[in-house]
């Protein structure tokens, strides 16, 4: 009798060395994109802001995603969505009363230059901006300002 290979459930983290595996990315792609659109709806993001956060997919690719035709997302897009999900979670822990509005509020932190975080992330922050905002929120959750 052979023992079947362990099946991953949604509750189990995927090992770092398996995250670039196309089969793993394929399984993660649909749920990740649905989560992204739910988050984007809560933050009231425009199509342009959504596309910027996803790394500027073409308009037709974006609309395919929106219509549920996701296919297999790149490691880059999955990383971007993961960072945004982490931000969403941190915001709801830190600022439950205005978590979904935080991205649009002017921010005095020097990295934002007085602008709303979403504006900074979508115009000049890029992937590094996503990491920086995620680290900022994680630091605040840990008690660092």
């Amino acid at each position: 009798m052979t023992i079947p290979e362990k099946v991953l459930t949604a509750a189990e983290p995927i090992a770092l060395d398996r995250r670039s595996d196309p089969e793993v990315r394929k399984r993660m792609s649909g749920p990740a994109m649905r989560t992204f659109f739910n988050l984007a709806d809560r933050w009231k993001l425009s199509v342009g802001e959504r596309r910027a956060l996803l790394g500027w997919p073409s308009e037709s690719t974006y609309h395919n995603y929106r219509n549920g035709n996701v296919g297999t997302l790149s490691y880059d897009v999955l990383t971007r969505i993961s960072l945004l999900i982490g931000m969403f979670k941190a915001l709801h822990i830190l600022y439950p009363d205005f978590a979904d509005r935080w991205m649009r509020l002017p921010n005095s932190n020097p990295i934002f230059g007085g602008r709303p975080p979403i504006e900074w992330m979508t115009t000049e922050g890029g992937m590094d901006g996503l990491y920086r905002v995620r680290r900022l929120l994680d630091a605040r959750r840990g008690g660092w300002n």
Side-chain angles (χ1 to χ4, degrees):
M1 173 186 258
T2 60
I3 299 173
E5 187 176 325
K6 185 176 179 180
V7 176
L8 291 176
T9 65
E12 296 179 58
I14 296 170
L16 284 173
D17 63 335
R18 298 208 46 228
R19 292 182 186 176
S20 61
D21 179 331
E23 283 303 314
V24 171
R25 287 188 297 109
K26 183 177 183 177
R27 278 199 328 265
M28 294 171 61
S29 293
M33 194 55 72
R34 284 190 300 277
T35 302
F36 169 77
F37 281 114
N38 287 332
L39 173 155
D41 289 345
R42 295 272 301 263
W43 288 350
K44 296 181 171 61
L45 300 180
S46 70
V47 171
E49 290 166 335
R50 293 168 192 228
R51 287 183 57 222
L53 292 174
L54 291 172
W56 290 108
S58 69
E59 287 186 34
S60 61
T61 298
Y62 170 82
H63 289 294
N64 280 334
Y65 293 163
R66 190 71 181 144
N67 293 326
N69 302 319
V70 178
T72 302
L73 296 174
S74 69
Y75 187 83
D76 177 77
V77 172
L78 286 168
T79 299
R80 288 168 176 274
I81 293 172
S82 175
L83 291 167
L84 293 164
I85 292 169
M87 288 177 214
F88 182 86
K89 178 181 176 182
L91 288 169
H92 280 267
I93 291 169
L94 290 166
Y95 313 115
D97 294 337
F98 62 96
D100 291 333
R101 293 182 299 126
W102 185 87
M103 283 289 176
R104 293 218 173 274
L105 298 174
N107 197 302
S108 62
N109 188 289
I111 66 172
F112 305 122
R115 294 179 295 167
I118 192 65
E119 181 182 319
W120 180 77
M121 287 192 305
T122 58
T123 59
E124 61 189 77
M127 178 66 101
D128 183 53
L130 296 176
Y131 275 108
R132 289 176 73 181
V133 173
R134 172 71 188 269
R135 284 192 301 265
L136 171 72
L137 293 171
D138 286 347
R140 286 183 179 170
R141 281 181 54 203
W144 295 90
N145 290 323

